[in-house]
Amino acid sequence: MITTTGLTKVYRSRGREVTALDGVDLHVPEGEVYGVIGQSGAGKSSLIRCVNLLEKPTTGSVTVDGVDLTALAGRGPRAGRELREARSRIGMVFQHFNLLSSRTVQDNVELPLEILGKTGRERSRKALELLDLVGLADKAKSYPSQLSGGQKQRVGIARALAGDPKVLLSDEATSALDPETTRSILELLRDLNRQLGLTVLLITHEMDVVKTICDSAALMEHGRIVESGTVDELLATPGSELAAALFPVSGEASGEERTVVDVTFHGEAATQPVISQLSRTYNIDISILGAAMDTVAGRQVGRMRIELPGRFEENVVPIGFLREQGLQVEVAGRDGEAAPQLVKEGAK
């Protein structure tokens, strides 16, 4: 549904150049909730604004629903109309709501329909329908100042859906909200994804957002995507920074004659008593140094850091046993390292 190829964005100011995007290749499948995560300055917001051409890319292409938006930009009146039509099928939800304070909730939702030239009756019907969809049917005549933050964001979502988009872009839509409100907005986005078949591309710096609703995710650093895939693929990838950040664990070996192992549980393996089986089978004492468990897409997933007695060479067979049970196993200091501080900060 969304493809960017070799996407770059260079900002020029006072003789200086800042590269916000550096050759970004992104592929968002139709019907998915896709999260892009990274620290401030990683290029996330520039990426999402280039996807709907709020920012014109310096080089590269953006294709949404089979239409090359970058090819339409700047090619005369006819191409301009085609670009506007294509962009009308892309909804955008902003961090700070961007509602018009002088308009009622219903009037805010009707605004895109006015721009599209719909009649007053059509606008009213559609706006009330969308407000009911986001749970605000009783707030149609209220003003933004009378709403909570979560209610304002629901109005923003309803407004973004006014043009019947196939794609919904979310730029840090929950970062200004408290945790409980954040959960309700994420549940709404997931419900809309399922009910309307929406493809959702969201920008976030919160790992919990990815954990809660994303089918796939990408990690951005310094204007580049350094890792991407479905959440399941990432959890099964040795050395995945995103997987380590989604389920951070810590703890160091208590001595030289010890082996520290990070074990990732997902799928059926997450419900099996594998660690106790390992201890009984090989008659070894296992220390649990840290663990992080959660539910992702209705399934229990997690990581555990354990300590085995003896050096690595003495634990090849027990480690092989864990891998035979369908677990992802990384030996600290060998084929897996702890997530760098950059990603850990994003997980807090």
Side-chain angles (χ1 to χ4, degrees):
M1 180 57 74
I2 302 172
T3 298
T4 72
T5 304
L7 198 65
T8 67
K9 178 62 183 177
V10 179
Y11 294 96
R12 295 177 175 85
S13 176
R14 298 178 183 178
R16 295 179 63 247
E17 291 189 350
V18 177
T19 301
L21 300 176
D22 187 8
V24 173
D25 294 328
L26 180 72
H27 305 279
V28 181
E30 182 176 2
E32 279 203 1
V33 178
Y34 196 109
V36 178
I37 192 162
Q39 281 195 316
S40 296
K44 308 184 304 297
S45 291
S46 293
L47 172 61
I48 203 167
R49 291 172 67 85
C50 282
V51 167
N52 63 358
L53 262 65
L54 281 177
E55 295 278 0
K56 186 176 179 181
T58 304
T59 60
S61 65
V62 177
T63 301
V64 178
D65 194 22
V67 178
D68 186 345
L69 303 186
T70 41
L72 297 176
R75 287 198 177 178
R78 180 176 177 180
R81 286 193 298 272
E82 293 175 354
L83 177 59
R84 286 193 294 275
E85 289 175 7
R87 290 177 68 190
S88 72
R89 295 190 290 274
I90 304 172
M92 182 81 170
V93 184
F94 300 91
Q95 178 180 358
H96 297 296
F97 321 129
N98 291 5
L99 302 180
L100 298 177
S101 60
S102 60
R103 286 183 171 237
T104 65
V105 164
Q106 180 176 337
D107 288 340
N108 267 281
V109 178
E110 287 187 19
L111 180 59
L113 299 170
E114 288 181 34
I115 296 170
L116 291 172
K118 302 296 183 182
T119 66
R121 180 176 296 179
E122 288 176 311
R123 296 199 305 266
S124 179
R125 178 191 61 78
K126 184 68 172 180
L128 293 174
E129 178 184 300
L130 290 170
L131 287 172
D132 183 54
L133 184 64
V134 300
L136 290 180
D138 60 334
K139 300 293 184 182
K141 302 305 178 184
S142 299
Y143 286 86
S145 62
Q146 299 171 303
L147 305 180
S148 67
Q151 289 171 331
K152 290 177 183 178
Q153 196 55 283
R154 286 174 181 267
V155 176
I157 292 170
R159 180 183 58 190
L161 297 175
D164 294 320
K166 290 188 174 183
V167 170
L168 185 64
L169 307 180
S170 169
D171 188 4
E172 299 276 11
T174 60
S175 63
L177 305 175
D178 62 77
E180 185 175 347
T181 306
T182 292
R183 282 193 295 273
S184 71
I185 294 297
L186 293 178
E187 288 172 4
L188 173 61
L189 289 175
R190 174 51 96 179
D191 288 343
L192 294 172
N193 160 255
R194 290 169 176 163
Q195 290 178 42
L196 306 179
L198 275 176
T199 300
V200 181
L201 174 61
L202 58 87
I203 297 299
T204 184
H205 64 273
E206 301 168 287
M207 284 295 173
D208 280 346
V209 172
V210 175
K211 200 181 297 184
T212 301
I213 66 167
C214 289
D215 301 299
S216 299
L219 173 64
M220 284 197 77
E221 293 178 358
H222 308 298
R224 298 179 178 180
I225 290 180
V226 297
E227 188 176 8
S228 65
T230 68
V231 174
D232 279 348
E233 288 171 348
L234 293 168
L235 289 171
T237 300
S240 166
E241 294 184 18
L242 268 173
L246 284 169
F247 298 95
V249 292
S250 60
E252 298 180 357
S254 59
E256 290 186 7
E257 299 293 325
R258 300 283 176 170
T259 302
V260 176
V261 176
D262 289 341
V263 183
T264 302
F265 300 80
H266 56 98
E268 293 184 6
T271 63
Q272 303 301 315
V274 178
I275 300 302
S276 58
Q277 290 176 4
L278 175 66
S279 180
R280 290 196 304 270
T281 301
Y282 296 97
N283 193 28
I284 55 177
D285 294 324
I286 300 171
S287 299
I288 297 176
L289 304 179
M293 301 290 290
D294 211 329
T295 300
V296 177
R299 297 185 304 156
Q300 193 175 41
V301 180
R303 299 177 80 237
M304 182 180 294
R305 177 163 289 189
I306 62 175
E307 182 185 69
L308 304 177
R311 295 178 180 274
F312 169 76
E313 291 77 9
E314 301 167 22
N315 285 294
V316 171
V317 173
I319 290 171
F321 170 85
L322 292 173
R323 287 175 171 150
E324 288 172 358
Q325 308 309 306
L327 306 179
Q328 177 62 48
V329 181
E330 300 177 53
V331 180
R334 287 181 176 267
D335 56 354
E337 296 289 344
Q341 189 65 26
L342 169 67
V343 183
K344 286 184 179 178
E345 289 173 357
K348 290 179 181 178

